[in-house]
Amino acid sequence: MDLRLSLAIIMGKIISFLNKLTGSGATAAPGLYALKIDPHLVKKLTKKLRYGNIIISGTNGKTTTARLTSDIVSTKFRVVHNRQGSNLLRGIASTLISSSSLTGQNPANLGIWEVDEATLPQALENIEPQIIALLNLFRDQLDRYGEVDSIRKKWQTGLLSHGRGTTLILNADDPGISYLGKFFKGKITYFGIGEKKLNLPEISQVADVKHCLNCGQKLNYSTTLSSHLGHYTCPKCRFKRPKPDISASNLKFNSNFSTSIKLTVNGQLLFERYRDLTVNYSLPGLYNVYNVLAAVAIADQLKIDHTKIRQNLESFSAAFGRFQKVTIQGKSAAIFLIKNPTGANEVLRILSQKQNMSILAILNDKIADGRDVSWIWDTNWEILTTKIKRISVSGTRAWDLATRIKYAGMKMSKNNVYENIDYSITKSIGNLSTIDTLIILPTYTAMLEVQKSLARLGGQKWHKD
C-alpha cells in the first residue's frame, strides 16, 4: 500500500467535502493540496487506468472536444474526465481523487484530460497518454502564455519524449500544429477540412503563422479558412499541409446555429450505410467542425462503432457558454464565449448570418481572461455593423469595448455601457421583446458571472435548439 498516495487522497477528499459544505466552487483545491503531499499522484493514478489516457489541448475548442470525445467513447469505456474544465495539473488531480478509492483504485478504465496549453509539457511528464490530440495554436492571453512560438517550442520538447505506443492527432490545416509531427516518433493521424470555399462571409483574418517554420519562407495558401488555418505549401522547402485522414466536406452553417457536414475517414465516407450521409449537430461555426473532427479521430483510434459516433454527434450539447440557449421569463438568450481574436472572429462570422440582433458583449480583464485586452482591436466587429438592432457592453473593461464598437461604426450610447454584469443582464433581458433573442458574448470570467445571473433570473431551462 502506498501510504503517501493514500494520505494525499484522504486530504483531497476532505477538502472536497469542505468545499461542498461551504458552497465553494474551488474545484482545483483538492488536487492542489494533495499534490503537496504526493507530487506524483497524477502519475500514479493515471497508470492504474487499464485502457490508458487521452490528452486534448489547444488554444480553442479543447473543452468542447473533450466533452464530445467523452460522450462518444463512454459507449465503450468507463471514462474519468475533468468535465468541469479545470485543466491544470491540480484540476486533473482533483478529478482523479474524487473518483478513486483511498487506495487509488478507480472504477474507470480510460482517462480523458482537457489540458491547458501552458500545462501540456507538465501533463506529458505526469501522464503516459495513449492518444494526444492537438487542436490549434492562436494568440491568446499574451501576459500568461507569451507568443504562440514559445508555446509551440515547449510542446516540441514534450513530444520528443513520447512515441512508441502513443498516437498523435494533429490539425492538418494549422501549419503550426502539423509542423509538430516532425518531432514525434510514433503514429500520427491528421484531421482537416476538405472544402475550398465556405458558405460563410469573408472576414479579415489575423494570422499567427505566416511563414514556413522549416525555412522561414512565406507560406502560399490555396485556401484560407480561418486565421492561418487552410491549405498551404511552402514554395521553398517540402513543408505543406498533410493529407487529412479524417476530413469534413459539404459544410453547411444554418441560421439556427446548427451545422451539417459529411465525414470521411481514411478515404471512405463515414456513414455509407445510412440513406443520408450528412451528419447534423447543434453546434455553430467552423471552429466546432474542427472540434468534431478531432473527436471523431480519437473515436476512430479507439474503434468506436460508427453508429455510436453519429448518435452522439447529433445529440451533443456544448458546455455552458461555449454555445448555449436559455429561456428566461419567456424570453430567449444565446451565449457564445469569446476570448481571443480568432475565436471571437469566428463567432462574429456566424452571427453575421442573422439580422436585427440584440447583443450584450462583456469584456473582463481578470487573470483567467488575460490582463491585456488589446486583442479586441483584431476582432472584426465591422461585419455586424448593419446587422444590429441594439448593442450594449459590460464588464471590467466595458469602456474599452464600447470604444472598439464605436469605431466599428455602430451606434454606442453611454447609456448602454454597464460595468456591473448582473445589472447588464437584467437590463438587457428587460429591454428584449419576446420574439427576439439576446446574444450574449462574454469572456471567460464574465461567462461564469452570466451563468449566475441567468440562474437568478430563472434561466434554468437550458436547451439545444
Side-chain angles (χ1 to χ4, degrees):
M1 182 176 176
D2 189 331
L3 292 177
R4 181 183 288 271
L5 176 63
S6 293
L7 183 59
I9 293 172
I10 290 169
M11 174 60 74
K13 287 184 178 293
I14 290 172
I15 293 171
S16 179
F17 173 75
L18 293 174
N19 282 344
K20 291 177 182 177
L21 205 63
T22 60
S24 171
T27 56
L32 175 66
Y33 289 99
L35 286 170
K36 292 181 183 297
I37 297 172
D38 189 348
H40 302 294
L41 178 143
V42 170
K43 184 176 292 187
K44 291 175 180 178
L45 293 182
T46 53
K47 277 186 176 180
K48 293 176 180 289
L49 298 172
R50 180 181 177 185
Y51 294 108
N53 296 271
I54 299 166
I55 288 178
I56 299 168
S57 192
T59 305
N60 293 336
K62 51 188 176 288
T63 297
T64 299
T65 302
R67 282 183 169 236
L68 181 53
T69 300
S70 178
D71 285 3
I72 294 171
V73 305
S74 291
T75 61
K76 182 176 179 180
F77 301 93
R78 297 190 301 276
V79 171
V80 56
H81 165 213
N82 54 337
R83 199 172 181 89
Q84 290 179 305
S86 188
N87 55 25
L88 304 182
L89 197 66
R90 56 181 178 262
I92 295 171
S94 292
T95 301
L96 287 164
I97 289 166
S98 67
S99 61
S100 296
S101 69
L102 298 183
T103 59
Q105 299 305 309
N106 199 315
N109 55 26
L110 178 71
I112 297 178
W113 308 113
E114 171 195 338
V115 177
D116 177 85
E117 307 95 284
T119 302
L120 181 61
Q122 186 184 18
L124 291 175
E125 290 176 2
N126 286 273
I127 301 171
E128 187 62 44
Q130 178 187 359
I131 296 172
I132 304 168
L134 302 180
L135 309 178
N136 49 61
L137 268 179
F138 300 116
R139 175 162 42 100
D140 184 36
Q141 300 186 37
L142 295 179
D143 53 316
R144 290 181 64 204
Y145 298 130
E147 293 288 350
V148 293
D149 289 343
S150 63
I151 292 290
R152 188 186 305 107
K153 287 175 182 177
K154 292 175 183 176
W155 285 15
Q156 290 171 197
T157 302
L159 290 174
L160 285 170
S161 62
H162 293 270
R164 185 175 297 177
T166 301
T167 296
L168 181 62
I169 295 175
L170 299 177
N171 186 343
D173 295 347
D174 187 333
I177 292 294
S178 68
Y179 173 74
L180 293 170
K182 67 182 290 185
F183 300 95
F184 190 72
K185 301 172 185 176
K187 179 182 176 182
I188 303 176
T189 292
Y190 293 97
F191 64 89
I193 290 173
E195 300 288 78
K196 299 291 184 182
K197 187 173 178 59
L198 303 174
N199 71 322
L200 285 173
E202 294 291 334
I203 61 171
S204 57
Q205 302 284 359
V206 180
D208 294 309
V209 179
K210 296 181 180 179
H211 296 85
C212 176
L213 296 170
N214 275 325
C215 68
Q217 188 75 15
K218 187 173 182 179
L219 292 171
N220 290 336
Y221 279 82
S222 61
T223 300
T224 301
L225 298 169
S226 174
S227 183
H228 55 263
L229 272 59
H231 302 177
Y232 51 86
T233 58
C234 175
K236 185 177 180 180
C237 71
R238 295 182 178 181
F239 181 63
K240 64 179 181 179
R241 173 186 182 256
K243 182 180 179 180
D245 303 284
I246 316 292
S247 65
S249 61
N250 295 78
L251 279 62
K252 183 178 180 182
F253 303 101
N254 304 311
S255 60
N256 66 350
F257 302 130
S258 66
T259 305
S260 62
I261 61 175
K262 289 183 179 179
L263 291 167
T264 301
V265 177
N266 299 320
Q268 291 188 328
L269 283 168
L270 186 58
F271 304 116
E272 285 186 309
R273 73 178 77 172
Y274 286 80
R275 181 177 299 174
D276 183 5
L277 298 175
T278 301
V279 182
N280 304 286
Y281 56 87
S282 299
L283 293 172
L286 179 66
Y287 53 101
N288 275 312
V289 177
Y290 283 110
N291 298 337
V292 166
L293 286 171
V296 171
I298 295 170
D300 183 63
Q301 289 298 313
L302 295 174
K303 303 187 186 307
I304 303 298
D305 180 83
H306 289 176
T307 302
K308 299 295 184 184
I309 293 176
R310 185 183 184 114
Q311 289 173 349
N312 281 277
L313 286 177
E314 295 188 336
S315 64
F316 180 73
S317 178
F320 178 86
R322 271 64 181 185
F323 168 63
Q324 201 74 44
K325 293 182 180 179
V326 60
T327 302
I328 315 108
Q329 301 170 2
K331 300 178 180 180
S332 298
I335 305 97
F336 297 81
L337 173 68
I338 58 171
K339 63 188 184 79
N340 53 46
T342 299
N345 279 335
E346 286 304 318
V347 169
L348 297 179
R349 199 178 188 185
I350 285 293
L351 292 178
S352 68
Q353 297 176 296
K354 309 285 276 187
Q355 295 287 342
N356 298 319
M357 287 180 290
S358 297
I359 290 180
L360 171 62
I362 310 175
L363 179 65
N364 275 357
D365 65 347
K366 298 179 182 179
I367 291 174
D369 303 292
R371 297 292 193 186
D372 181 2
V373 298
S374 62
W375 63 269
I376 63 175
W377 293 93
D378 288 327
T379 52
N380 196 8
W381 288 95
E382 285 78 4
I383 200 172
L384 299 186
T385 301
T386 61
K387 313 283 186 175
I388 300 295
K389 178 191 293 186
R390 177 186 178 88
I391 187 164
S392 303
V393 296
S394 185
T396 57
R397 299 297 288 269
W399 289 102
D400 296 76
L401 188 53
T403 303
R404 171 67 187 96
I405 288 171
K406 183 178 180 180
Y407 272 91
M410 300 183 208
K411 292 182 180 180
M412 175 54 66
S413 165
K414 65 180 182 180
N415 295 325
N416 292 341
V417 180
Y418 313 110
E419 294 184 12
N420 183 279
I421 293 175
D422 186 68
Y423 179 78
S424 74
I425 296 287
T426 303
K427 189 75 173 176
S428 297
I429 293 294
N431 290 333
L432 190 71
S433 73
T434 54
I435 61 172
D436 291 330
T437 296
L438 177 65
I439 306 295
I440 305 175
L441 306 176
T443 54
Y444 182 73
T445 63
M447 178 185 70
L448 303 178
E449 295 182 63
V450 168
Q451 186 176 25
K452 292 178 182 177
S453 296
L454 292 177
R456 180 185 61 79
L457 291 171
Q460 291 90 354
K461 185 183 177 183
W462 309 99
H463 52 89
K464 297 183 294 180
D465 49 23

